Amino acid sequence: MTMSEPVATRTGVSPTRVQELLDRELARFAERHPRTHALHAHARESLLDGVPMNWMVKWAGPFPLFLESASGAHARCADGHDYVDLCLGDTGAMAGHGPAPVIEAVERQLRRGITTMLPTVDAAWVGEELARRFGLPSWQFTLTATDANRFSLRLARAITGRPLVAVHEWCYHGSVDETIAVLDGSPSDPYASRNTVARRGNLGPQVDPAETTRVVPFNDLDALDRALADEQVAALLIEPALTNVGIVLPEPGYLEGVRELTRRSGTILIHDETHTICAGPGGVTREGGYEPDMLVIGKTIGGGIPVAAYGMSADVAARIRETIPIEDSDVGGIGGTLAGYALSMAAARAALGEVLTEEAFARMVPLAERWEGGANDVIARHRAPWSVTRLGARAEYHFMPEPPRDGADQIAHADYDLERLLHLWVMNRGVLMTPFHNMALMSPATTEADVDRHTAGFDEVVGALFA
Ligand code: PMP
């Protein structure tokens, strides 16, 4: 960086320098991955952009990796390079890749019947375990967290008779129509003057989210009070800490305030713990002793096999039972032929019972602390105006000196090219980061050496940026 170059004050880094390093790393990636390149070229003949789901093109390389295998906390690409996997399938593989108890349970179940649309003993075991972890007595299953959220919102509207839902600004709860919304105007405008609009990139919404949704900034109880006061909101769906825009932690008293305001206004409070389960075996909900009316959890609990769950309080369960006519239950908007199918229930029993245990968290959380400490040291050593947040076994760096207070704060300091550079740099040195923002997750199989491999790569790239 020369003194005359403009410096992007938002991140403290020169965009020219980012581009220079990015070009170099893109070339390095291409050179190291001839076989992956050929596989991608072939895949382009049958898949849109050569990927089975569009967001896979967001991986930082010139083309996405093709993995030959993934086991424990490591993955091997088609070109034979080894990676420490801190992405873990964006939490789908938080239990580690192919944990032995899940493989054994799935193999056993494959021979006993994969799907029958009937309950299994494993399903009741998983329901009991989720009740023990999260403190809610009744559970239902789906294959994705998206579906679990959609069904929870439908049920909340059904039992309250209210039309609207509320969510945090810059949340992500899957491809759930009502949730892909933000506020217009500027965060410095009064909340009352801001309206719900579709989030940038929201493709073909069925209904304008302005008609379905109230959006509230994270950590803003005054705004929430205003959004709920007229008692038109059926449910508030939240992650108890934002994890999908970058980690944004709740300020002291925020979640208590959320509970008080939702109770006072008769709004069903839904905690989506799909990512925040990283806080501990019962997620933020149990760590903080919170009492949501409903709770959603997906991804992790199947150890890699599709399964998600939604739980509810005794009161919500009783109201739902009164609402659902059995005769219409198969066509009433809540369903999924394979929901709660035998294979996923067997996998969830093994993942919860034998892999994502209290002992596993006791190993994972200190590893994330080590990752956090390493990143903080690098940032301090190179005087980068950046910060690090952590929630249990998950941690993240932010291009701002103090951690964000809400989603808009994080978005204002995000930099797509800089993120790509950081991800690509460490990928070229054997570390996979989640391709969305700057997030790393520990699994029960992750080791201190794995964490240190990331710290070394991060040190090099931050050094190259701030030299
Ligand atoms: N809820 C949260 C909090 C999530 O992070 C995600 C996915 N990132 C989802 C729901 C949706 O999960 P899925 O794509 O498996 O349906």
Side-chain angles (χ1 to χ4, degrees), residues 221-246:
L221 288 173
D222 290 339
L224 182 63
D225 192 12
R226 200 177 173 95
L228 303 185
D230 66 0
E231 303 189 358
Q232 291 302 297
V233 174
L236 172 69
L237 171 62
I238 64 166
E239 279 193 286
L242 296 182
T243 66
N244 279 293
V245 64

mmCIF file of all heavy atoms in Angstrom, residues 221-246:
data_model
loop_
_atom_site.group_PDB
_atom_site.id
_atom_site.type_symbol
_atom_site.label_atom_id
_atom_site.label_comp_id
_atom_site.label_asym_id
_atom_site.label_seq_id
_atom_site.Cartn_x
_atom_site.Cartn_y
_atom_site.Cartn_z
ATOM 1 N N LEU A 221 -35.171 -2.765 22.189
ATOM 2 C CA LEU A 221 -36.439 -3.113 22.842
ATOM 3 C C LEU A 221 -37.525 -2.075 22.582
ATOM 4 O O LEU A 221 -38.715 -2.418 22.523
ATOM 5 C CB LEU A 221 -36.222 -3.288 24.356
ATOM 6 C CG LEU A 221 -35.455 -4.560 24.750
ATOM 7 C CD1 LEU A 221 -35.144 -4.548 26.243
ATOM 8 C CD2 LEU A 221 -36.225 -5.824 24.373
ATOM 9 N N ASP A 222 -37.143 -0.819 22.402
ATOM 10 C CA ASP A 222 -38.160 0.209 22.111
ATOM 11 C C ASP A 222 -38.848 -0.093 20.784
ATOM 12 O O ASP A 222 -40.069 0.002 20.660
ATOM 13 C CB ASP A 222 -37.530 1.608 22.054
ATOM 14 C CG ASP A 222 -37.086 2.065 23.435
ATOM 15 O OD1 ASP A 222 -37.615 1.513 24.423
ATOM 16 O OD2 ASP A 222 -36.205 2.932 23.513
ATOM 17 N N ALA A 223 -38.026 -0.456 19.786
ATOM 18 C CA ALA A 223 -38.599 -0.787 18.479
ATOM 19 C C ALA A 223 -39.501 -2.014 18.594
ATOM 20 O O ALA A 223 -40.604 -2.048 18.033
ATOM 21 C CB ALA A 223 -37.483 -1.034 17.462
ATOM 22 N N LEU A 224 -39.047 -2.984 19.352
ATOM 23 C CA LEU A 224 -39.854 -4.211 19.491
ATOM 24 C C LEU A 224 -41.188 -3.896 20.164
ATOM 25 O O LEU A 224 -42.254 -4.369 19.738
ATOM 26 C CB LEU A 224 -39.081 -5.263 20.292
ATOM 27 C CG LEU A 224 -39.809 -6.604 20.443
ATOM 28 C CD1 LEU A 224 -40.027 -7.266 19.084
ATOM 29 C CD2 LEU A 224 -39.043 -7.548 21.366
ATOM 30 N N ASP A 225 -41.131 -3.085 21.190
ATOM 31 C CA ASP A 225 -42.354 -2.687 21.904
ATOM 32 C C ASP A 225 -43.340 -2.069 20.910
ATOM 33 O O ASP A 225 -44.528 -2.406 20.872
ATOM 34 C CB ASP A 225 -41.962 -1.681 23.003
ATOM 35 C CG ASP A 225 -43.118 -1.449 23.970
ATOM 36 O OD1 ASP A 225 -44.095 -2.216 23.919
ATOM 37 O OD2 ASP A 225 -43.030 -0.483 24.759
ATOM 38 N N ARG A 226 -42.828 -1.205 20.071
ATOM 39 C CA ARG A 226 -43.666 -0.524 19.088
ATOM 40 C C ARG A 226 -44.244 -1.516 18.071
ATOM 41 O O ARG A 226 -45.408 -1.434 17.697
ATOM 42 C CB ARG A 226 -42.803 0.525 18.369
ATOM 43 C CG ARG A 226 -43.599 1.562 17.715
ATOM 44 C CD ARG A 226 -42.785 2.649 17.068
ATOM 45 N NE ARG A 226 -43.748 3.465 16.352
ATOM 46 C CZ ARG A 226 -44.298 4.563 16.850
ATOM 47 N NH1 ARG A 226 -43.937 5.023 18.037
ATOM 48 N NH2 ARG A 226 -45.203 5.217 16.151
ATOM 49 N N ALA A 227 -43.418 -2.489 17.664
ATOM 50 C CA ALA A 227 -43.859 -3.456 16.647
ATOM 51 C C ALA A 227 -44.952 -4.388 17.177
ATOM 52 O O ALA A 227 -45.801 -4.856 16.414
ATOM 53 C CB ALA A 227 -42.667 -4.271 16.155
ATOM 54 N N LEU A 228 -44.924 -4.632 18.496
ATOM 55 C CA LEU A 228 -45.869 -5.619 19.047
ATOM 56 C C LEU A 228 -47.096 -4.988 19.696
ATOM 57 O O LEU A 228 -48.097 -5.673 19.969
ATOM 58 C CB LEU A 228 -45.168 -6.499 20.091
ATOM 59 C CG LEU A 228 -43.910 -7.266 19.638
ATOM 60 C CD1 LEU A 228 -43.421 -8.176 20.769
ATOM 61 C CD2 LEU A 228 -44.164 -8.085 18.373
ATOM 62 N N ALA A 229 -47.033 -3.682 19.950
ATOM 63 C CA ALA A 229 -48.028 -3.042 20.834
ATOM 64 C C ALA A 229 -49.475 -3.195 20.367
ATOM 65 O O ALA A 229 -50.382 -3.359 21.192
ATOM 66 C CB ALA A 229 -47.684 -1.562 20.992
ATOM 67 N N ASP A 230 -49.730 -3.182 19.054
ATOM 68 C CA ASP A 230 -51.134 -3.243 18.613
ATOM 69 C C ASP A 230 -51.675 -4.680 18.536
ATOM 70 O O ASP A 230 -52.785 -4.906 18.060
ATOM 71 C CB ASP A 230 -51.315 -2.517 17.268
ATOM 72 C CG ASP A 230 -50.575 -3.206 16.125
ATOM 73 O OD1 ASP A 230 -49.917 -4.250 16.378
ATOM 74 O OD2 ASP A 230 -50.649 -2.711 14.987
ATOM 75 N N GLU A 231 -50.867 -5.635 18.979
ATOM 76 C CA GLU A 231 -51.288 -7.039 19.093
ATOM 77 C C GLU A 231 -51.749 -7.634 17.759
ATOM 78 O O GLU A 231 -52.687 -8.426 17.705
ATOM 79 C CB GLU A 231 -52.355 -7.190 20.193
ATOM 80 C CG GLU A 231 -51.834 -6.664 21.518
ATOM 81 C CD GLU A 231 -52.719 -6.969 22.724
ATOM 82 O OE1 GLU A 231 -53.786 -7.564 22.526
ATOM 83 O OE2 GLU A 231 -52.313 -6.616 23.842
ATOM 84 N N GLN A 232 -51.060 -7.244 16.695
ATOM 85 C CA GLN A 232 -51.336 -7.813 15.370
ATOM 86 C C GLN A 232 -50.304 -8.866 14.974
ATOM 87 O O GLN A 232 -50.439 -9.523 13.952
ATOM 88 C CB GLN A 232 -51.344 -6.690 14.306
ATOM 89 C CG GLN A 232 -52.514 -5.742 14.416
ATOM 90 C CD GLN A 232 -53.833 -6.501 14.320
ATOM 91 O OE1 GLN A 232 -54.128 -7.104 13.304
ATOM 92 N NE2 GLN A 232 -54.600 -6.487 15.401
ATOM 93 N N VAL A 233 -49.243 -8.982 15.785
ATOM 94 C CA VAL A 233 -48.165 -9.909 15.433
ATOM 95 C C VAL A 233 -48.400 -11.263 16.102
ATOM 96 O O VAL A 233 -48.488 -11.355 17.327
ATOM 97 C CB VAL A 233 -46.795 -9.325 15.855
ATOM 98 C CG1 VAL A 233 -45.679 -10.343 15.633
ATOM 99 C CG2 VAL A 233 -46.505 -8.044 15.075
ATOM 100 N N ALA A 234 -48.504 -12.305 15.280
ATOM 101 C CA ALA A 234 -48.735 -13.659 15.805
ATOM 102 C C ALA A 234 -47.485 -14.192 16.482
ATOM 103 O O ALA A 234 -47.556 -14.773 17.562
ATOM 104 C CB ALA A 234 -49.143 -14.586 14.663
ATOM 105 N N ALA A 235 -46.337 -14.000 15.813
ATOM 106 C CA ALA A 235 -45.103 -14.606 16.330
ATOM 107 C C ALA A 235 -43.910 -13.717 16.079
ATOM 108 O O ALA A 235 -43.811 -13.062 15.038
ATOM 109 C CB ALA A 235 -44.861 -15.953 15.661
ATOM 110 N N LEU A 236 -42.998 -13.723 17.041
ATOM 111 C CA LEU A 236 -41.677 -13.127 16.841
ATOM 112 C C LEU A 236 -40.709 -14.292 16.681
ATOM 113 O O LEU A 236 -40.552 -15.102 17.611
ATOM 114 C CB LEU A 236 -41.289 -12.273 18.051
ATOM 115 C CG LEU A 236 -39.850 -11.752 18.031
ATOM 116 C CD1 LEU A 236 -39.658 -10.697 16.937
ATOM 117 C CD2 LEU A 236 -39.451 -11.168 19.393
ATOM 118 N N LEU A 237 -40.103 -14.389 15.510
ATOM 119 C CA LEU A 237 -39.145 -15.468 15.228
ATOM 120 C C LEU A 237 -37.743 -14.883 15.300
ATOM 121 O O LEU A 237 -37.419 -13.970 14.527
ATOM 122 C CB LEU A 237 -39.415 -16.042 13.832
ATOM 123 C CG LEU A 237 -38.384 -17.030 13.279
ATOM 124 C CD1 LEU A 237 -38.270 -18.283 14.138
ATOM 125 C CD2 LEU A 237 -38.732 -17.411 11.837
ATOM 126 N N ILE A 238 -36.926 -15.408 16.224
ATOM 127 C CA ILE A 238 -35.577 -14.834 16.387
ATOM 128 C C ILE A 238 -34.504 -15.911 16.549
ATOM 129 O O ILE A 238 -34.772 -16.987 17.075
ATOM 130 C CB ILE A 238 -35.480 -13.895 17.620
ATOM 131 C CG1 ILE A 238 -35.717 -14.670 18.932
ATOM 132 C CG2 ILE A 238 -36.440 -12.734 17.502
ATOM 133 C CD1 ILE A 238 -35.323 -13.902 20.183
ATOM 134 N N GLU A 239 -33.305 -15.569 16.107
ATOM 135 C CA GLU A 239 -32.128 -16.253 16.621
ATOM 136 C C GLU A 239 -31.760 -15.491 17.901
ATOM 137 O O GLU A 239 -31.665 -14.260 17.863
ATOM 138 C CB GLU A 239 -30.954 -16.115 15.656
ATOM 139 C CG GLU A 239 -30.935 -17.055 14.488
ATOM 140 C CD GLU A 239 -29.560 -17.007 13.814
ATOM 141 O OE1 GLU A 239 -29.262 -16.011 13.132
ATOM 142 O OE2 GLU A 239 -28.794 -17.959 13.959
ATOM 143 N N PRO A 240 -31.510 -16.181 19.015
ATOM 144 C CA PRO A 240 -31.193 -15.440 20.251
ATOM 145 C C PRO A 240 -29.863 -14.688 20.182
ATOM 146 O O PRO A 240 -29.616 -13.802 21.001
ATOM 147 C CB PRO A 240 -31.204 -16.511 21.336
ATOM 148 C CG PRO A 240 -31.225 -17.815 20.635
ATOM 149 C CD PRO A 240 -31.684 -17.611 19.235
ATOM 150 N N ALA A 241 -29.007 -15.034 19.240
ATOM 151 C CA ALA A 241 -27.888 -14.179 18.820
ATOM 152 C C ALA A 241 -27.915 -14.263 17.304
ATOM 153 O O ALA A 241 -28.097 -15.358 16.767
ATOM 154 C CB ALA A 241 -26.563 -14.705 19.354
ATOM 155 N N LEU A 242 -27.729 -13.148 16.596
ATOM 156 C CA LEU A 242 -27.679 -13.264 15.138
ATOM 157 C C LEU A 242 -26.408 -14.027 14.765
ATOM 158 O O LEU A 242 -25.348 -13.787 15.350
ATOM 159 C CB LEU A 242 -27.644 -11.878 14.482
ATOM 160 C CG LEU A 242 -28.846 -10.955 14.659
ATOM 161 C CD1 LEU A 242 -28.628 -9.650 13.882
ATOM 162 C CD2 LEU A 242 -30.135 -11.617 14.207
ATOM 163 N N THR A 243 -26.526 -14.940 13.808
ATOM 164 C CA THR A 243 -25.321 -15.637 13.329
ATOM 165 C C THR A 243 -25.222 -15.606 11.818
ATOM 166 O O THR A 243 -24.241 -16.086 11.263
ATOM 167 C CB THR A 243 -25.318 -17.129 13.732
ATOM 168 O OG1 THR A 243 -26.386 -17.794 13.043
ATOM 169 C CG2 THR A 243 -25.462 -17.324 15.223
ATOM 170 N N ASN A 244 -26.223 -15.080 11.160
ATOM 171 C CA ASN A 244 -26.233 -15.207 9.704
ATOM 172 C C ASN A 244 -25.864 -13.927 8.968
ATOM 173 O O ASN A 244 -25.868 -13.900 7.735
ATOM 174 C CB ASN A 244 -27.597 -15.709 9.242
ATOM 175 C CG ASN A 244 -27.704 -17.214 9.390
ATOM 176 O OD1 ASN A 244 -27.020 -17.949 8.696
ATOM 177 N ND2 ASN A 244 -28.528 -17.677 10.313
ATOM 178 N N VAL A 245 -25.539 -12.881 9.705
ATOM 179 C CA VAL A 245 -25.042 -11.653 9.077
ATOM 180 C C VAL A 245 -23.611 -11.439 9.564
ATOM 181 O O VAL A 245 -22.923 -10.510 9.185
ATOM 182 C CB VAL A 245 -25.959 -10.460 9.436
ATOM 183 C CG1 VAL A 245 -25.940 -10.160 10.930
ATOM 184 C CG2 VAL A 245 -25.613 -9.216 8.646
ATOM 185 N N GLY A 246 -23.135 -12.344 10.392
ATOM 186 C CA GLY A 246 -21.999 -12.155 11.268
ATOM 187 C C GLY A 246 -22.579 -12.319 12.670
ATOM 188 O O GLY A 246 -23.775 -12.099 12.868
#
